[in-house]
Amino acid sequence: MVKIFCLFFITLLSINLSAQDKPLYKDANQSIEKRIEDLLSRMTPEEKAMQLNQYTLGRNDNANNMADPVNDIPAEIGSLIYFSSDPALRNQVQKKAMEKSRLGIPVIFGYDVIHGYRTVYPISLGQACSWNPELVKKACAVAAQEARMSGVDWTFSPMIDVARDGRWGRVAEGYGEDPYTNAVFSVASVKGYQGDDISGNKNVAACLKHYVGYGASEAGRDYVYTEISKQTLWDTYMLPYEEGVKAGAATLMSCFNDISGTPGTANRYILTEVLKNRWGHDGFVVSDWGAIEQLRSQGVAKDKKEAALKAFTAGVEMDMMNRCYDNHLAELVKEGKVSEEQLNEAVRRVLRVKFRLGLFENPYTPVTTEQERFLLAESMKIAEKLAEESIVLLKNEDKALPLSNVKKIAVVGPMAKSQWHLLGSWRAQGNAEDAVSIYKGLENEFEGKAQLQYAEGCDFEGDDRSKFEEAKTVAKDADVIIVCLGEKAQWSGENASRSTLSLPQIQEDLVKELHNLGKPVILVLSGGRPLELTRLEKLSDAMLEIWQPGIAGGNPLAGIISGRINPSGKLSITFPYSTGQIPIYYNHRQSARTHQGKYQDIPSTPLYEFTHGLSYTTFEYGDIKLSSDKIRKGDKLSAEITVTNTGDMDGAETVHWFIRDPVSTISRPVKELKHFEKQMLKKGETKTFRFDIDLFKDLGFVNGEGDRFLETGEYQIIVKDKKMKVEIVE
Ligand code: BGC
């Protein structure tokens, strides 16, 4: 009997002991919220403050953000920017956090995986020209998989800053000038990165950036002031964030810019009142690199401590490379300037994302070889398809393209053999050697069909015309001249503004000389922004914008040139007639005198409008059919249009649906994109495109407080030059 009792007692004790050994926060069967509270209850203010900091790890080759790797990384650090792609290094540092910190809280490793990790695909501005969010979602899923398998849990992407000034180098990183387009791709990329569940070992947490208004940087310069009225904040800049939050984005990044006197990083209205209280976001906000300490330069904080106080109380939970929170937060709590509950709430948000990522259960990254992770056949296919659909045929006079019956092709220009520049900025772990140059793509495509002759012609910039003669000699001997021009990778991206959208004079002069030879000239343009092509357009028979296409590089382009592929890309940003027209974008508000207010020296219309893009086939549009032309506010409305492929090649067409509200309480844009759909049409085929109109969302407007209204009266539904009226009655 005594024996049995002893056994019972010992069993009870051991159950109790193991329960004590394994605190609740380590029990994966408990709810995340319970685990967070348990963990919080065990943390000291210092440990809490450390969770809110991000340092770097690994070789940092980001020219804008140089920092020495922190050799002695504290075991309690909340996050690291992980510049390496070696899972072993991550695991070594993670081991320290798991085993040497008192509570064993895993580190979250972040990185800029912007347009691919190793399998680099086109820059976002180009991606948007595909009008194919499904494909973008797939590409982001590839990036997520490569990154997570390499030790990255969290990407600082997507960038969804509506941008209307091509001089701003970061225009390359977003999805163009339109709020709705940015919103659609914001959702697509969040879903691609995060999948259904970020705890999977192939998904990463997304980060919507740079919240908010960074794209309005004055004069296209980086890190400067942005003047944004509340009305414009809401109707132009907020939508992509609102939609990204709804899609479940785990985190956001605060911006560098000063929004009409209150920097984004110290802006309680956007960071707390809207994001947390109104939209209910329960993840966390990381500052941009140095954005907290920069509150001093922006003139709203006298020192780092005050900067920490302002950013923290505004709603920035994590400090990226400012060393403000680690040095001052615990002290601010002691002084009572930050309450314990405020600190808890910030830590809660960071821990929530860590729990959701499954980091407590799986802190380490399985070690795999690069071959198992990178450049997989399926990933390469997606990158190539996206590059193909991003390419925009800007001009094609007298069907100069596709090439037919050519025997000798001259390939000229500084971009022709470059691999490096095709990757663009933010190439993550991309390798230039993986990229197919334009020349190589053409060589693959025309092997056995036509002979290629190459000359560099000139450098990207400078005055050295000594290589012009060689280029002319090569070109004279050819049936067609393909001139490959554009921007160096470092001319766009962060801190890479330009004062003009023109290409350097030397590149234009090269085209002039080649044009004078009287042969067909095909211009291939690669770069990270819309260009001023007014003079080059006159000197060429066809022009193709390939953006920075990533590693697929010249392959899809060559397919388009040969006619194997029918181009389907359409511009996500306006190409101005002249840089002097900036800002120029399709959805400008209505003006007082539509017949006046024009430039005296140049046209007032752009060279290529938003959504411009040619195909090798022709599409004929039917009339818009509305389900009703008079409806009540609560009714359903839909619109349809038929499109027929009337040419002699299969091709994809994107139908863009715009709306217009001619008379409203506020002055609204001349037209606003509300829906788009891309479909493949075989030659001779007719397909119906449909827009299910949500009256409130699609026809209504937001005011300066973000409240949405739908007014009675007339509205227009617009597709190309087709227009239908609908009246909303009470
Ligand atoms: C950029 C961010 C980027 C961060 C981390 C900053 O300078 O503005 O877009 O995510 O650096 O590299």
Side-chain angles (χ1 to χ4, degrees):
M1 185 63 198
V2 175
K3 243 184 181 178
I4 295 175
F5 179 76
C6 281
L7 210 65
F8 177 69
F9 184 74
I10 287 168
T11 319
L12 254 186
L13 194 72
S14 63
I15 291 174
N16 218 357
L17 272 181
S18 72
Q20 267 177 13
D21 277 357
K22 190 174 179 185
L24 189 148
Y25 74 91
K26 290 199 171 164
D27 182 355
N29 295 320
Q30 300 289 338
S31 74
I32 288 182
E33 294 309 310
K34 278 195 182 152
R35 295 175 77 185
I36 294 172
E37 293 314 316
D38 179 61
L39 181 48
L40 267 178
S41 71
R42 297 165 193 266
M43 294 170 79
T44 63
E46 287 71 21
E47 283 167 335
K48 289 178 189 170
M50 277 314 285
Q51 277 303 306
L52 306 180
N53 290 276
Q54 184 175 61
Y55 299 167
T56 64
L57 173 67
R59 195 177 66 89
N60 170 3
D61 49 13
N62 175 351
N64 296 305
N65 297 333
M66 280 304 175
D68 292 330
V70 182
N71 292 325
D72 196 14
I73 291 170
E76 294 76 20
I77 189 75
S79 178
L80 292 167
I81 303 186
Y82 192 48
F83 288 93
S84 162
S85 62
D86 181 2
L89 175 61
R90 171 213 163 96
N91 291 346
Q92 191 190 323
V93 176
Q94 188 72 301
K95 194 166 187 304
K96 182 171 172 189
M98 298 306 290
E99 294 176 7
K100 298 274 183 283
S101 72
R102 195 174 64 88
L103 295 161
I105 305 177
V107 175
I108 176 173
F109 294 80
Y111 189 50
D112 289 285
V113 186
I114 308 296
H115 54 117
Y117 187 70
R118 173 72 182 270
T119 308
V120 177
Y121 46 85
I123 54 167
S124 304
L125 189 61
Q127 290 171 39
C129 299
S130 74
W131 299 100
N132 191 341
E134 252 324 290
L135 188 55
V136 167
K137 183 176 155 193
K138 282 188 191 159
C140 291
V142 169
Q145 173 170 335
E146 290 189 352
R148 190 80 191 248
M149 289 178 81
S150 304
V152 175
D153 311 304
W154 170 32
T155 174
F156 307 134
S157 174
M159 183 187 114
I160 44 173
D161 295 321
V162 171
R164 291 160 170 186
D165 189 334
R167 294 172 299 179
W168 191 49
R170 304 203 80 167
V171 76
E173 295 176 51
Y175 301 96
E177 72 188 36
D178 176 57
Y180 175 74
T181 311
N182 273 280
V184 170
F185 287 102
S186 164
V187 172
S189 47
V190 167
K191 292 199 166 151
Y193 289 135
Q194 299 195 164
D196 295 330
D197 174 9
I198 48 173
S199 73
N201 58 5
K202 294 190 170 158
N203 299 113
V204 291
C207 180
L208 308 176
K209 73 183 191 188
H210 309 81
Y211 186 57
V212 59
Y214 189 21
S217 281
E218 273 188 352
R221 284 177 53 219
D222 221 345
Y223 315 122
V224 298
Y225 182 74
T226 53
E227 178 57 53
I228 307 174
S229 70
K230 276 198 152 188
Q231 179 61 48
T232 301
L233 178 73
W234 276 100
D235 64 28
T236 303
Y237 295 104
M238 291 296 250
L239 183 72
Y241 289 94
E242 188 171 3
E243 293 298 313
V245 167
K246 272 195 219 147
T251 70
L252 288 90
M253 186 183 289
S254 75
C255 56
F256 288 132
N257 47 298
D258 176 338
I259 308 168
S260 309
T262 310
T265 296
N267 198 314
R268 193 176 154 78
Y269 173 67
I270 58 165
L271 293 166
T272 296
E273 287 173 35
V274 177
L275 178 67
K276 302 182 205 319
N277 300 349
R278 191 160 168 175
W279 293 345
H281 187 251
D282 66 358
F284 68 89
V285 176
V286 63
S287 76
D288 202 345
W289 182 297
I292 300 178
E293 61 168 309
Q294 285 161 202
L295 292 176
R296 293 179 304 170
S297 336
Q298 285 168 302
V300 296
K302 65 175 182 302
D303 52 25
K304 282 186 155 197
K305 187 171 169 186
E306 193 180 8
L309 178 64
K310 288 215 164 174
F312 186 79
T313 49
V316 175
E317 281 86 21
M318 187 177 280
D319 165 328
M320 179 193 285
M321 292 303 289
N322 298 278
R323 306 300 300 261
C324 288
Y325 286 4
D326 53 357
N327 287 325
H328 301 292
L329 212 48
E331 188 186 325
L332 285 165
V333 174
K334 272 191 204 122
E335 289 170 10
K337 294 192 173 130
V338 166
S339 73
E340 274 226 53
E341 183 38 35
Q342 278 175 311
L343 181 63
N344 284 348
E345 179 52 16
V347 179
R348 201 174 270 137
R349 287 169 174 274
V350 171
L351 294 177
R352 190 173 288 130
V353 173
K354 291 188 175 186
F355 276 115
R356 285 182 180 157
L357 278 162
L359 294 178
F360 283 82
E361 281 63 60
N362 299 304
Y364 304 111
T365 304
V367 177
T368 49
T369 63
E370 293 205 348
Q371 284 82 344
E372 288 171 281
R373 279 178 271 155
F374 300 149
L375 310 173
L376 306 181
E378 186 52 30
S379 314
M380 301 281 278
K381 254 201 251 161
I382 292 169
E384 180 152 346
K385 186 75 182 134
L386 189 49
E388 170 196 319
E389 295 200 21
S390 306
I391 296 175
V392 183
L393 178 62
L394 295 171
K395 172 180 176 174
N396 195 17
E397 203 162 290
D398 297 330
K399 296 193 177 166
L401 286 175
L403 297 185
S404 59
N405 294 325
V406 292
K407 290 285 162 259
K408 275 191 184 166
I409 304 174
V411 185
V412 180
M415 194 59 83
K417 286 205 169 171
S418 170
Q419 293 168 288
W420 176 261
H421 298 300
L422 300 186
L423 296 191
S425 63
W426 296 111
R427 53 192 56 201
Q429 303 292 341
N431 250 347
E433 297 83 73
D434 298 334
V436 182
S437 72
I438 297 174
Y439 184 82
K440 185 79 193 141
L442 290 166
E443 203 173 50
N444 297 342
E445 189 76 27
F446 287 95
E447 199 190 341
K449 293 178 209 141
Q451 192 194 327
L452 258 54
Q453 309 183 126
Y454 163 78
E456 189 188 2
C458 65
D459 201 348
F460 284 95
E461 55 192 329
D463 294 319
D464 182 1
R465 283 160 171 72
S466 63
K467 294 181 217 149
F468 276 20
E469 276 317 307
E470 185 204 359
K472 285 197 307 195
T473 311
V474 162
K476 259 185 218 152
D477 191 34
D479 303 316
V480 59
I481 315 166
I482 300 180
V483 196
C484 310
L485 307 177
E487 297 188 308
K488 289 184 172 181
Q490 61 270 32
W491 290 359
S492 59
E494 187 177 351
N495 193 20
S497 304
R498 295 188 71 223
S499 69
T500 172
L501 304 192
S502 300
L503 289 179
Q505 193 61 46
I506 186 94
Q507 296 196 40
E508 292 205 5
D509 288 352
L510 174 67
V511 182
K512 235 181 263 166
E513 299 265 338
L514 296 170
H515 167 79
N516 288 342
L517 300 175
K519 311 247 170 175
V521 172
I522 313 295
L523 278 193
V524 173
L525 304 154
S526 169
R529 54 165 58 77
L531 294 172
E532 178 185 316
L533 297 172
T534 310
R535 292 167 301 283
L536 286 173
E537 189 261 342
K538 295 192 179 79
L539 302 172
S540 66
D541 297 272
M543 291 202 297
L544 283 153
E545 173 60 72
I546 67 167
W547 307 107
Q548 284 145 339
I551 60 168
N555 272 341
L557 166 76
I560 288 177
I561 290 181
S562 76
R564 175 172 57 81
I565 297 168
N566 191 352
S568 65
K570 289 175 191 271
L571 295 179
S572 56
I573 193 157
T574 302
F575 275 43
Y577 179 93
S578 146
T579 305
Q581 290 180 328
I582 293 174
I584 184 164
Y585 48 95
Y586 86 93
N587 44 354
H588 57 88
R589 287 183 206 278
Q590 308 187 61
S591 42
R593 293 188 181 181
T594 48
H595 60 294
Q596 285 186 323
K598 315 260 192 246
Y599 292 109
Q600 298 190 37
D601 51 342
I602 55 164
S604 296
T605 47
L607 184 64
Y608 296 121
E609 286 181 358
F610 176 73
T611 75
H612 168 78
L614 305 173
S615 166
Y616 290 154
T617 191
T618 44
F619 295 106
E620 213 175 282
Y621 282 60
D623 288 325
I624 300 172
K625 292 207 177 78
L626 285 181
S627 58
S628 172
D629 56 8
K630 197 173 203 170
I631 48 167
R632 283 180 214 285
K633 279 187 178 172
D635 289 350
K636 281 197 173 9
L637 178 66
S638 64
E640 285 186 352
I641 194 163
T642 56
V643 178
T644 306
N645 181 345
T646 49
D648 49 17
M649 195 172 178
D650 298 349
E653 176 68 337
T654 303
V655 170
H656 293 93
W657 295 90
F658 296 90
I659 69 103
R660 176 181 164 93
D661 181 359
V663 182
S664 165
T665 299
I666 62 158
S667 111
R668 295 187 59 180
V670 288
K671 58 179 189 171
E672 299 166 60
L673 183 69
K674 292 294 172 179
H675 181 62
F676 60 84
E677 186 186 359
K678 185 173 192 175
Q679 294 198 50
M680 187 70 197
L681 286 99
K682 296 209 175 312
K683 52 183 174 183
E685 191 177 14
T686 300
K687 278 193 174 162
T688 302
F689 291 70
R690 189 182 160 92
F691 175 22
D692 286 312
I693 302 167
D694 175 333
L695 297 189
F696 201 59
K697 197 163 141 241
D698 298 323
L699 301 183
F701 67 90
V702 279
N703 68 3
E705 300 307 318
D707 300 323
R708 194 162 274 280
F709 298 91
L710 177 65
E711 296 183 331
T712 52
E714 181 198 306
Y715 291 84
Q716 294 163 10
I717 312 294
I718 305 164
V719 172
K720 286 191 174 256
D721 56 350
K722 313 271 177 182
K723 203 179 281 175
M724 278 298 284
K725 286 183 190 164
V726 59
E727 194 189 341
I728 300 189
V729 291
E730 275 302 346

mmCIF file of all heavy atoms in Angstrom, residues 638-652:
data_model
loop_
_atom_site.group_PDB
_atom_site.id
_atom_site.type_symbol
_atom_site.label_atom_id
_atom_site.label_comp_id
_atom_site.label_asym_id
_atom_site.label_seq_id
_atom_site.Cartn_x
_atom_site.Cartn_y
_atom_site.Cartn_z
ATOM 1 N N SER A 638 -23.461 45.335 -62.759
ATOM 2 C CA SER A 638 -22.312 44.714 -63.413
ATOM 3 C C SER A 638 -22.186 45.256 -64.830
ATOM 4 O O SER A 638 -23.156 45.754 -65.414
ATOM 5 C CB SER A 638 -22.449 43.196 -63.422
ATOM 6 O OG SER A 638 -23.564 42.844 -64.193
ATOM 7 N N ALA A 639 -20.986 45.153 -65.346
ATOM 8 C CA ALA A 639 -20.721 45.642 -66.698
ATOM 9 C C ALA A 639 -19.975 44.559 -67.458
ATOM 10 O O ALA A 639 -19.174 43.824 -66.869
ATOM 11 C CB ALA A 639 -19.872 46.900 -66.627
ATOM 12 N N GLU A 640 -20.248 44.470 -68.736
ATOM 13 C CA GLU A 640 -19.544 43.492 -69.576
ATOM 14 C C GLU A 640 -19.127 44.144 -70.875
ATOM 15 O O GLU A 640 -19.774 45.068 -71.360
ATOM 16 C CB GLU A 640 -20.472 42.308 -69.891
ATOM 17 C CG GLU A 640 -20.648 41.376 -68.716
ATOM 18 C CD GLU A 640 -21.448 40.114 -69.053
ATOM 19 O OE1 GLU A 640 -21.994 40.026 -70.178
ATOM 20 O OE2 GLU A 640 -21.505 39.234 -68.193
ATOM 21 N N ILE A 641 -18.052 43.603 -71.414
ATOM 22 C CA ILE A 641 -17.632 44.076 -72.741
ATOM 23 C C ILE A 641 -17.032 42.874 -73.469
ATOM 24 O O ILE A 641 -16.369 42.037 -72.842
ATOM 25 C CB ILE A 641 -16.626 45.254 -72.630
ATOM 26 C CG1 ILE A 641 -16.460 45.950 -73.981
ATOM 27 C CG2 ILE A 641 -15.277 44.812 -72.102
ATOM 28 C CD1 ILE A 641 -15.839 47.340 -73.871
ATOM 29 N N THR A 642 -17.282 42.790 -74.755
ATOM 30 C CA THR A 642 -16.674 41.689 -75.501
ATOM 31 C C THR A 642 -15.433 42.207 -76.224
ATOM 32 O O THR A 642 -15.377 43.368 -76.655
ATOM 33 C CB THR A 642 -17.631 41.091 -76.548
ATOM 34 O OG1 THR A 642 -18.049 42.146 -77.395
ATOM 35 C CG2 THR A 642 -18.810 40.406 -75.914
ATOM 36 N N VAL A 643 -14.458 41.341 -76.333
ATOM 37 C CA VAL A 643 -13.241 41.688 -77.064
ATOM 38 C C VAL A 643 -12.972 40.562 -78.060
ATOM 39 O O VAL A 643 -13.049 39.383 -77.698
ATOM 40 C CB VAL A 643 -12.038 41.853 -76.108
ATOM 41 C CG1 VAL A 643 -10.763 42.172 -76.885
ATOM 42 C CG2 VAL A 643 -12.304 42.931 -75.073
ATOM 43 N N THR A 644 -12.692 40.936 -79.303
ATOM 44 C CA THR A 644 -12.410 39.941 -80.338
ATOM 45 C C THR A 644 -10.979 40.110 -80.826
ATOM 46 O O THR A 644 -10.532 41.233 -81.080
ATOM 47 C CB THR A 644 -13.376 40.120 -81.530
ATOM 48 O OG1 THR A 644 -14.705 40.085 -81.022
ATOM 49 C CG2 THR A 644 -13.202 39.030 -82.571
ATOM 50 N N ASN A 645 -10.300 38.998 -80.928
ATOM 51 C CA ASN A 645 -8.960 39.029 -81.507
ATOM 52 C C ASN A 645 -9.127 39.003 -83.024
ATOM 53 O O ASN A 645 -9.427 37.971 -83.611
ATOM 54 C CB ASN A 645 -8.157 37.821 -81.009
ATOM 55 C CG ASN A 645 -6.740 37.804 -81.559
ATOM 56 O OD1 ASN A 645 -6.417 38.519 -82.514
ATOM 57 N ND2 ASN A 645 -5.893 36.977 -80.961
ATOM 58 N N THR A 646 -8.939 40.167 -83.637
ATOM 59 C CA THR A 646 -9.205 40.284 -85.077
ATOM 60 C C THR A 646 -7.928 40.165 -85.913
ATOM 61 O O THR A 646 -7.975 40.305 -87.131
ATOM 62 C CB THR A 646 -9.870 41.642 -85.381
ATOM 63 O OG1 THR A 646 -9.110 42.660 -84.732
ATOM 64 C CG2 THR A 646 -11.299 41.682 -84.885
ATOM 65 N N GLY A 647 -6.822 39.939 -85.250
ATOM 66 C CA GLY A 647 -5.561 39.840 -86.000
ATOM 67 C C GLY A 647 -5.228 38.408 -86.338
ATOM 68 O O GLY A 647 -6.089 37.522 -86.264
ATOM 69 N N ASP A 648 -3.960 38.168 -86.699
ATOM 70 C CA ASP A 648 -3.640 36.803 -87.106
ATOM 71 C C ASP A 648 -2.640 36.124 -86.174
ATOM 72 O O ASP A 648 -1.821 35.329 -86.583
ATOM 73 C CB ASP A 648 -3.172 36.781 -88.569
ATOM 74 C CG ASP A 648 -2.127 37.830 -88.811
ATOM 75 O OD1 ASP A 648 -1.560 38.327 -87.808
ATOM 76 O OD2 ASP A 648 -1.878 38.168 -89.986
ATOM 77 N N MET A 649 -2.712 36.486 -84.901
ATOM 78 C CA MET A 649 -1.849 35.815 -83.924
ATOM 79 C C MET A 649 -2.606 35.706 -82.597
ATOM 80 O O MET A 649 -3.345 36.627 -82.238
ATOM 81 C CB MET A 649 -0.583 36.674 -83.733
ATOM 82 C CG MET A 649 0.536 35.985 -83.046
ATOM 83 S SD MET A 649 2.006 37.034 -83.112
ATOM 84 C CE MET A 649 3.146 36.043 -82.188
ATOM 85 N N ASP A 650 -2.442 34.615 -81.888
ATOM 86 C CA ASP A 650 -3.040 34.516 -80.554
ATOM 87 C C ASP A 650 -2.402 35.589 -79.669
ATOM 88 O O ASP A 650 -1.225 35.926 -79.851
ATOM 89 C CB ASP A 650 -2.740 33.142 -79.923
ATOM 90 C CG ASP A 650 -3.322 31.996 -80.736
ATOM 91 O OD1 ASP A 650 -4.123 32.266 -81.660
ATOM 92 O OD2 ASP A 650 -2.970 30.833 -80.447
ATOM 93 N N GLY A 651 -3.158 36.090 -78.719
ATOM 94 C CA GLY A 651 -2.564 37.114 -77.858
ATOM 95 C C GLY A 651 -3.388 37.351 -76.616
ATOM 96 O O GLY A 651 -4.568 37.022 -76.563
ATOM 97 N N ALA A 652 -2.745 37.928 -75.605
ATOM 98 C CA ALA A 652 -3.457 38.224 -74.360
ATOM 99 C C ALA A 652 -3.825 39.699 -74.349
ATOM 100 O O ALA A 652 -3.047 40.549 -74.792
ATOM 101 C CB ALA A 652 -2.574 37.893 -73.166
#
